Amino acid sequence: MPLNPVISKLANKLVVLASASPRRQDILRNAGLKFEVVPSWFKETLDKGLFKAPHEYAVETAKQKALEVARRMPFKHRKTPDMVIGADTIVTVDGMILEKPVDKHDAYRMLSSLSGKEHSVYTGVVILLCHDKENEEVDYQLIDFYEETKVKFADLSESMLWEYINSGEPMDKAGGYGIQALGGMLVECVHGDFLNVVGFPLNHFCKQLDLIYNRSTSSLDLDSSSVSLSENSPHSNSHSSSAKHRPSSSSSKQTHHNKKSPSTSPLHKVKRIGSDSEASESSLKLVNSSSKHADISDTTTVPLMTSRGQLSEHEDGEPKKKDLQKIMDLMDGFKASKALFTASKMCVFDLLRSKPGLDAEQVAQEIKASVKGTVCLLEACVSLGLLKSKEQNFQKPVYENTDLASRFLLSDAPFSLHGYIQHCDNTIWPLFSHLESAVKEGASQHDKAFGKKSKDMFQDTVYYNQEVKLRFMNAMHSIAKVTGRAVATAFDLSSFKTACDLGGCTGAMAYEFTKAHPGLSVTVFDLPAVVEMSDRFTPLHKGNRMSYVAGDFFEDELPKADLYILARILHDWPDERVHILLKRISDACRPGCGVLLSEIFLDEDRGGPSRGLLQALSMSVGKQRSATEYSLLLKSHGFITAHVRHTDNMLDAMLCIKE
């Protein structure tokens, strides 16, 4: 069905494409349609979990794009369009929706998931007809539909994947490939509309225009209270009927749809006051058209905002205290963290170790703070179980450390977390302050948090300046001291005589291995800027069985060893770099050599532990994995998992042997 039969009817109309996609523009221009391009400002942040099927998400996104442009144009562009076309293309595989990759590593993830499989490409399209009415009122008629095309990828080699990714082509395309260009070399076969995969289902669009302009038995005059079509919709599984639409008496200008009278007409009347340009989408009720594979009697409604204090439809009765407490604890969690960070930074715990029994005024004088602020901080720490207060003879309460604070919060305690707490306060807290942006963009907010774009965050950290370097090493030293013994004693390592702790930082972890295994010698391998500072942390650790070698484990030759230790390393790096590192280790190993991996192992259903899943929210280039995922990762480089140990500490452990 060519566009020619309806071209004359569109010739004097203002048609707007609410998309910046050059591919959609080319498809429509090549078909002879004249239009303006006004890219939508709608942020594509709809919750995919709210949609029963992938095509519903694509259609709803297209709808919101078109509505945003239609509402904006009368005010920003001083004109009302006659037609707005919105479209959104997604790729789905194994139940996941793939949109545009955020970076090369995201593109690798997408394309790897498509390799050797058949996937679906959906494009949701909305045609929005706009009509100026009296009193600045604008009427809209909305037609939505979608098209599905099946695409089968060939089995892709790593070299082909990275060659394509490095071409730059995947970055602005749903699913990470463009079938009309270099991406065509990845495709084995296509079932359905090829142009749909490119970005716009032209054939289906033309049929809808024909249905609107050439086959309607009723006028498009929106003053009419009924709209009907005499022809069936383009797909055989739809049927023909009519529907009555009456403006609601509510102030929101809703149009209600009688579900007892389903309609295959793609024309539905939606009224809103044009001057209310910033009104919420909640004032609209849009009725789905005869979309492919859709129940045409369905309605898609965004509910109106309820008044403040109004109860929900499903009242559960009196909320339980424990449920409320759990939510309140989550809401207050950031306050507790910041109280801990502040007390640690102001050395409150060290002060009360050296001078126990001080009152708030005395503590305030020592830490150079206000009395009021100090009282609040001390009382908060008491409530958190970090301090205890004593009152004697009606005098001011005095404060002491609890056993918990003495074990973990003193700067020189054997299991001190003081360094890691500083790291959380100075590095993690600023990143999480931009969590909303991180979630929307799927990327670390390092530049917003620190005003500096980071290409390699670890390299930037250790080379940035002396203070930042020491703070980072203190944090790693803290974690290694607390977790080192649990990791070092997780397995019998008596068959190994030499070990290399890759990225071993201060040597605290390596030292625990030498203590737990008297026959084992350990080499710490880390960047030169780290190794040169190691004396500040481990003067007592050095001996005949510990040594340091400076180098980059991605670039330099790895020290020879029977066992390679990877503690808190792999989760920091993208898949590409992880595979490079594991290949280098595999090449350095002979059969019988081992890799001891220590990370937070996620539950197999990814339901926990929350510590690992919350850490993933930092949106670093790496990712958290389950024990099975790590095992498969190592297996791909010739290592067979011998043992997995979920410790009672902060890190778990896995021992793998080279075949």
Side-chain angles (χ1 to χ4, degrees), residues 384-583:
L384 295 172
L386 307 178
L387 297 178
K388 52 188 176 183
S389 64
K390 296 181 180 179
E391 290 191 25
Q392 294 180 346
N393 301 325
F394 302 100
Q395 295 179 353
K396 297 176 182 178
V398 296
Y399 297 89
E400 295 179 359
N401 290 325
T402 61
D403 290 341
L404 189 67
S406 296
R407 287 199 73 193
F408 298 110
L409 303 182
L410 301 180
S411 59
D412 58 354
F415 296 109
S416 174
L417 285 169
H418 182 78
Y420 190 64
I421 290 169
Q422 285 185 310
H423 174 69
C424 289
D425 189 21
N426 292 292
T427 303
I428 308 300
W429 180 275
L431 287 173
F432 272 71
S433 296
H434 298 280
L435 181 57
E436 183 179 351
S437 296
V439 171
K440 287 181 177 179
E441 297 171 19
S444 171
Q445 300 300 298
H446 190 275
D447 53 335
K448 290 182 182 177
F450 305 108
K452 178 176 180 288
K453 194 78 173 177
S454 177
K455 294 182 179 178
D456 186 330
M457 193 162 66
F458 184 74
Q459 291 272 6
D460 287 353
T461 297
V462 298
Y463 286 114
Y464 186 49
N465 63 41
Q466 194 84 338
E467 180 185 353
V468 173
K469 185 196 309 182
L470 280 173
R471 193 165 65 220
F472 177 79
M473 292 180 71
N474 263 312
M476 299 304 100
H477 191 67
S478 289
I479 293 295
K481 286 199 301 179
V482 171
T483 61
R485 178 171 174 77
V487 174
T489 59
F491 310 111
D492 177 6
L493 302 179
S494 58
S495 61
F496 302 105
K497 302 305 178 185
T498 58
C500 178
D501 187 4
L502 296 173
C505 199
T506 66
M509 179 72 74
Y511 179 60
E512 293 297 332
F513 274 82
T514 61
K515 286 201 304 179
H517 306 282
L520 187 67
S521 297
V522 184
T523 299
V524 177
F525 187 72
D526 214 319
L527 296 170
V530 173
V531 171
E532 70 183 17
M533 304 286 288
S534 62
D535 284 339
R536 295 181 180 231
F537 296 89
T538 57
L540 300 179
H541 295 174
K542 287 194 173 181
N544 293 332
R545 293 192 294 116
M546 265 191 70
S547 60
Y548 291 78
V549 173
D552 183 333
F553 50 53
F554 288 119
E555 302 292 340
D556 300 317
E557 183 180 357
L558 303 181
K560 296 296 182 183
D562 301 329
L563 177 71
Y564 288 91
I565 301 165
L566 290 169
R568 301 185 77 245
I569 299 296
L570 296 189
H571 78 273
D572 276 332
W573 299 99
D575 288 354
E576 176 190 9
R577 303 276 267 176
V578 167
H579 283 293
I580 290 172
L581 176 57
L582 291 179
K583 183 179 186 306

Side-chain angles (χ1 to χ4, degrees), residues 239-297:
H239 58 281
S240 177
S241 63
S242 64
K244 298 286 187 179
H245 301 273
R246 293 179 300 168
S248 167
S249 60
S250 69
S251 61
S252 65
K253 295 287 183 181
Q254 272 184 293
T255 298
H256 291 276
H257 177 62
N258 183 353
K259 293 194 72 174
K260 293 182 180 179
S261 302
S263 171
T264 54
S265 167
L267 304 179
H268 298 288
K269 182 176 175 182
V270 180
K271 299 181 74 174
R272 68 179 295 124
I273 299 301
S275 59
D276 186 16
S277 62
E278 300 303 321
S280 166
E281 282 89 346
S282 62
S283 64
L284 294 174
K285 181 172 183 178
L286 304 177
V287 186
N288 289 343
S289 77
S290 53
S291 300
K292 184 176 182 180
H293 308 306
D295 180 353
I296 54 169
S297 65

